[in-house]
Amino acid sequence: ANVTLFLFIFLSLGTGSNILSALQDLFWLLKSKVEKQLQIISVLQWVLTFLIMGIACTLILMYILCTDCWAIAALYLAWLVFDWNTPKKGGRRSQWVRNWAIWRYFRDYFPIRLVKTHNLLTTRNYIFGYHPHGIMGLGAFCNFSTEATGVGQKFPGIRPYLATLAGNFRMPILRDYLMSGGICPVNRDSIDYILSKNGSGNAIIIVVGGAAESLNCTPGKNSVTLKNRKGFVKLALRHGADLVPVYSFGENEVYKQVIFEEGSWGRWVQKKFQKHIGFAPCIFHGRGLFSSNTWGLLPYSKPITTVVGEPITIPKIDNPSQKDVDFYHSMYVDSLIKLFDKYKSKFGLPETEVLEVN
């Protein structure tokens, strides 16, 4: 009875409602902190996947071969031989993996947003040119290898395939992880298969600037390596696949990089790696794991907005001439610049900002 009387007085004085309000505020504060930690974990796992998963899985597999569990590694290697050409034949995507909740936390960390400007016909195939590369192509991965930003809902009937270095598909476990997201090798065999033997409604996303472009990415700079990148246009002509310019505002803002000048020893080393291995080592940093004021591998939480432009209708020419390639390449460059100019002010850039095409 005394407890009941105390609660009655407590609530009648309004104190109870204040405590309830305080508890609600505390709950939302704790929830916000938990969500932020989950966002950090989701991004960290992808960064580690990008940097070390392939090598780590190879070393672990070699170690298991030397233990009593060698049969497990042997079975996987036998499967690897049997499954070797799957990445070249469209891979093995998993809608379950693409819809993991972890990718939504990944998206919200920056945040990342996908903007649709035009409809895409499911009766056509497409090659998306993604710009700029950035350090890790975080926007390209989140938008096209997961469903976190709703690519499947925004472009119904279109199957996106993000193309990356073929060497990644020689790495055990990593290859299967990449394929589950709809990632494929950026080589002619793989692209030919998807565009000619996989029906229509396919969209291959090619980060056109590649490793060369990553060497020049730095916050505040909007430049693309495109003038002499014409192979993707020739592929589009051979298959009659429409070209779609894509620009990701903010991709260069999430990491800071040491830029080596042309002719320096650092740039010489980077170009040698790029020529012989396919990627260029960069000296870069983001924020620390526990503080945004320290250096670390985590990218800075800067907004990334990926804008998918208007498709350019491409005719099918089995053996396109250099004149044909140059003509449609010029159309593509003009379309990309127009896309950049149209949306730059909407996503934080001044009207005077110019897209540098190298």
Side-chain angles (χ1 to χ4, degrees):
N2 291 334
V3 172
T4 304
L5 180 61
F6 175 77
L7 287 174
F8 176 78
I9 296 171
F10 203 65
L11 292 171
S12 65
L13 291 173
T15 312
S17 61
N18 292 338
I19 291 177
L20 182 61
S21 177
L23 288 174
Q24 287 177 335
D25 292 342
L26 179 62
F27 171 77
W28 288 113
L29 180 63
L30 291 173
K31 183 180 178 182
S32 177
K33 286 188 175 181
V34 169
E35 286 186 347
K36 187 61 180 177
Q37 293 305 313
L38 289 173
Q39 291 170 12
I40 290 173
I41 291 169
S42 68
V43 174
L44 180 63
Q45 70 83 26
W46 170 245
V47 171
L48 294 178
T49 296
F50 183 90
L51 294 176
I52 66 172
M53 184 177 179
I55 296 174
C57 288
T58 302
L59 293 175
I60 291 171
L61 195 66
M62 292 172 62
Y63 171 75
I64 294 175
L65 279 170
C66 301
T67 68
D68 292 338
C69 298
W70 64 269
I72 297 174
L75 283 172
Y76 179 79
L77 288 173
W79 161 254
L80 193 62
V81 172
F82 174 78
D83 196 54
W84 190 253
N85 288 323
T86 298
K88 298 177 183 178
K89 297 180 179 180
R92 189 169 46 246
R93 74 173 56 221
S94 166
Q95 285 301 116
W96 175 66
V97 173
R98 288 175 60 88
N99 282 286
W100 277 353
I102 194 172
W103 306 132
R104 294 193 290 276
Y105 289 113
F106 183 99
R107 171 200 66 198
D108 293 340
Y109 172 85
F110 296 92
I112 296 173
R113 179 186 171 202
L114 180 66
V115 176
K116 169 186 173 180
T117 62
H118 292 79
N119 291 324
L120 298 181
L121 300 175
T122 57
T123 54
R124 300 285 292 173
N125 284 324
Y126 301 90
I127 293 180
F128 287 19
Y130 184 91
H131 313 269
H133 183 287
I135 295 292
M136 296 185 186
L138 294 165
F141 168 76
C142 184
N143 285 307
F144 301 112
S145 293
T146 80
E147 293 295 331
T149 56
V151 64
Q153 288 74 44
K154 291 176 180 176
F155 300 103
I158 301 297
R159 293 181 297 276
Y161 294 86
L162 177 60
T164 188
L165 290 175
N168 289 324
F169 297 89
R170 302 187 188 103
M171 301 285 189
I173 309 300
L174 175 63
R175 67 189 292 276
D176 301 288
Y177 188 35
L178 295 178
M179 283 193 292
S180 68
I183 301 177
C184 68
V186 63
N187 58 31
R188 181 169 172 175
D189 289 343
S190 177
I191 294 173
D192 282 348
Y193 183 91
I194 293 170
L195 294 180
S196 63
K197 299 179 181 178
N198 201 40
S200 60
N202 301 294
I204 297 180
I205 296 88
I206 300 177
V207 186
V208 178
E213 190 172 83
S214 69
L215 298 179
N216 294 315
C217 70
T218 188
K221 186 174 184 180
N222 289 282
S223 66
V224 296
T225 301
L226 183 57
K227 281 184 179 178
N228 297 316
R229 300 294 175 108
K230 301 181 180 181
F232 74 105
V233 178
K234 190 172 184 179
L235 280 169
L237 286 165
R238 288 180 62 246
H239 294 284
D242 294 348
L243 288 171
V244 182
V246 179
Y247 197 85
S248 221
F249 295 90
E251 184 72 63
N252 285 344
E253 307 300 316
V254 296
Y255 279 110
K256 296 179 181 178
Q257 180 184 189
V258 176
I259 305 292
F260 293 102
E261 296 295 330
E262 289 292 338
S264 66
W265 67 270
R267 183 53 64 98
W268 179 85
V269 170
Q270 289 176 324
K271 286 187 173 181
K272 286 295 181 182
F273 266 85
Q274 178 190 338
K275 180 179 179 181
H276 297 292
I277 301 178
F279 75 93
C282 302
I283 300 177
F284 65 92
H285 74 85
R287 52 155 290 182
L289 183 60
F290 302 107
S291 171
S292 59
N293 297 321
T294 58
W295 287 12
L297 289 176
L298 278 177
Y300 293 104
S301 52
K302 303 288 186 179
I304 298 176
T305 305
T306 302
V307 184
V308 180
E310 182 178 3
I312 303 167
T313 303
I314 302 293
K316 188 177 187 301
I317 305 175
D318 291 334
N319 294 297
S321 65
Q322 189 59 50
K323 184 177 179 181
D324 293 326
V325 173
D326 290 343
F327 175 75
Y328 285 101
H329 181 268
S330 177
M331 282 184 63
Y332 178 86
V333 174
D334 290 343
S335 183
L336 178 65
I337 293 173
K338 288 177 182 177
L339 179 71
F340 178 85
D341 288 340
K342 182 176 180 179
Y343 289 94
K344 60 187 178 184
S345 61
K346 294 181 180 180
F347 303 118
L349 298 178
E351 282 290 347
T352 54
E353 184 73 17
V354 175
L355 179 62
E356 182 182 329
V357 180
N358 299 313

